[in-house]
């Protein structure tokens, strides 16, 4: 009888462990499926289905509210729905979320306004980032200075960042190409502001190799034509 009791206990222990593993595994698998669907839907511009997926029960069970709203923001930006983007950013900034999530929203807003060339909004977001992470704000300050204010005071800093990623001679790791190309673009812009055509052409020639197929490529070609 004691042996039978032990067998029953062992059965319940095993059954409980299996049940817990299933309960842990289902949300993980569901999450992977939801993320995959969302990525496919936004890539295919199937926005009706995309927003339906975000609001689905599966998404609510497998994703946090912040993640869902962040994906909704991606959709609005992709559709260029400016009013909705503004409302979504405002709503997300007022969500009860962790500090690192606040930082992510502020940075995303910074790059959104930077792309639109909205100086005041860009600076406001940069200062919000600075209020949480001063070091992180330094990189944004460089981009704000170069792309919005069209200054050329960060040449040494940008050169140092490029040198940190690549020695300029050896073969570059593929995952570093865009980062280096972006920094080269920022460096070339500064030379263009100083009318240093020689250094500008040298840097932009390298940037074109690393930024092929990106919006930077068209911008570089346009600047080089203007400075020719």
């Amino acid at each position: 009888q004691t042996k039978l009791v032990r067998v029953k206990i062992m059965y319940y222990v095993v059954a409980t462990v299996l049940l817990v593993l299933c309960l842990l595994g289902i949300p993980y698998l569901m999450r992977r499926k939801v993320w995959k669907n969302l990525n496919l839907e936004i890539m295919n511009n199937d926005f009706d289905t995309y927003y339906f997926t975000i609001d689905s029960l599966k998404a609510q069970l497998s994703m946090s509210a912040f993640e869902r709203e962040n994906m909704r923001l991606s959709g609005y930006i992709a559709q260029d729905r400016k009013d909705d983007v503004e409302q979504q950013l405002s709503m997300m900034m007022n969500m009860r979320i962790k500090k690192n999530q606040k930082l992510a929203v502020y940075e995303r807003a910074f790059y959104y306004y930077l792309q639109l060339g909205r100086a005041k909004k860009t600076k406001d977001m940069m200062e919000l980032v600075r209020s949480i992470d001063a070091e992180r704000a330094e990189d944004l300050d460089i981009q704000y200075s170069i792309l919005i204010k069209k200054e050329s005071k960060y040449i040494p800093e940008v050169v140092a960042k490029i040198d940190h990623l690549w020695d300029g001679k050896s073969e570059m790791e593929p995952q570093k190409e865009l980062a280096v190309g972006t920094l080269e673009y920022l460096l070339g812009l500064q030379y263009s502001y100083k009318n240093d055509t020689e250094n500008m052409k040298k840097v932009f020639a390298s940037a074109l190799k690393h930024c092929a197929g990106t919006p930077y490529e068209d911008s570089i070609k346009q600047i080089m034509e203007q400075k020719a």
Side-chain angles (χ1 to χ4, degrees):
Q1 190 174 358
T2 302
K3 185 176 180 181
L4 182 60
V5 170
R6 287 178 179 174
V7 170
K8 284 184 177 180
I9 292 173
M10 183 61 68
Y11 169 79
Y12 285 119
V13 168
V14 172
T16 302
V17 169
L18 289 174
L19 179 60
V20 169
L21 289 174
C22 286
L23 291 174
L24 290 174
I26 288 171
Y28 171 75
L29 294 173
M30 191 184 297
R31 180 182 175 84
R32 283 186 59 185
K33 179 67 174 175
V34 169
W35 276 105
K36 182 179 179 181
N37 288 346
L38 286 170
N39 286 324
L40 287 173
E41 287 154 9
I42 199 168
M43 286 175 61
N44 293 327
N45 295 321
D46 185 3
F47 291 104
D48 288 341
T49 308
Y50 178 77
Y51 296 122
F52 179 83
T53 301
I54 288 173
D55 293 323
S56 68
L57 181 60
K58 288 182 179 179
Q60 292 177 42
L61 290 174
S62 60
M63 299 170 67
S64 69
F66 173 78
E67 289 173 324
R68 296 196 309 275
E69 296 307 328
N70 201 32
M71 294 300 285
R72 196 186 310 278
L73 176 61
S74 295
Y76 292 158
I77 292 174
Q79 289 182 289
D80 198 26
R81 292 167 55 174
K82 290 184 172 61
D83 290 342
D84 288 326
V85 171
E86 292 286 348
Q87 291 177 18
Q88 186 70 4
L89 284 172
S90 178
M91 184 275 291
M92 292 181 71
M93 287 178 196
N94 288 298
M95 288 177 73
R96 296 181 64 182
I97 51 180
K98 298 175 183 177
K99 187 177 288 187
N100 66 318
Q101 293 173 326
K102 284 272 189 187
L103 186 62
V105 176
Y106 296 153
E107 281 193 311
R108 188 150 197 207
F110 170 87
Y111 285 109
Y112 174 71
Y113 293 125
L114 181 70
Q115 183 184 7
L116 295 178
R118 296 179 61 180
K120 186 180 184 307
K121 282 282 192 178
T122 304
K123 187 175 183 180
D124 289 345
M125 293 305 110
M126 181 174 66
E127 294 308 322
L128 286 172
V129 170
R130 198 186 312 278
S131 69
I132 297 176
D133 190 332
E135 187 176 342
R136 198 96 157 240
E138 289 179 8
D139 286 336
L140 306 188
D141 201 11
I142 291 173
Q143 295 174 70
Y144 177 76
S145 168
I146 298 169
L147 296 170
I148 297 292
K149 299 177 74 176
K150 301 190 183 305
E151 295 176 332
S152 54
K153 64 181 184 180
Y154 285 111
I155 289 176
E157 288 84 352
V158 177
V159 168
K161 288 179 181 294
I162 294 171
D163 290 343
H164 179 71
L165 292 172
W166 182 46
D167 61 12
K169 299 175 184 178
S170 60
E171 186 175 351
M172 192 189 307
E173 298 171 41
Q175 64 268 27
K176 290 184 178 181
E177 281 194 2
L178 185 56
V180 170
T182 301
L183 290 169
E184 289 173 330
Y185 174 67
L186 294 175
L187 180 59
L189 280 178
Q190 292 181 88
Y191 286 133
S192 75
Y193 300 152
K194 292 168 65 72
N195 289 316
D196 185 347
T197 309
E198 183 180 350
N199 277 318
M200 180 200 75
K201 288 182 177 179
K202 179 182 176 182
V203 173
F204 274 164
S206 180
L208 282 172
K209 298 175 185 176
H210 303 138
C211 294
T214 71
Y216 297 131
E217 182 179 11
D218 293 334
S219 178
I220 289 169
K221 289 178 178 178
Q222 185 177 9
I223 295 168
M224 291 182 75
E225 285 177 8
Q226 292 172 351
K227 296 288 184 178

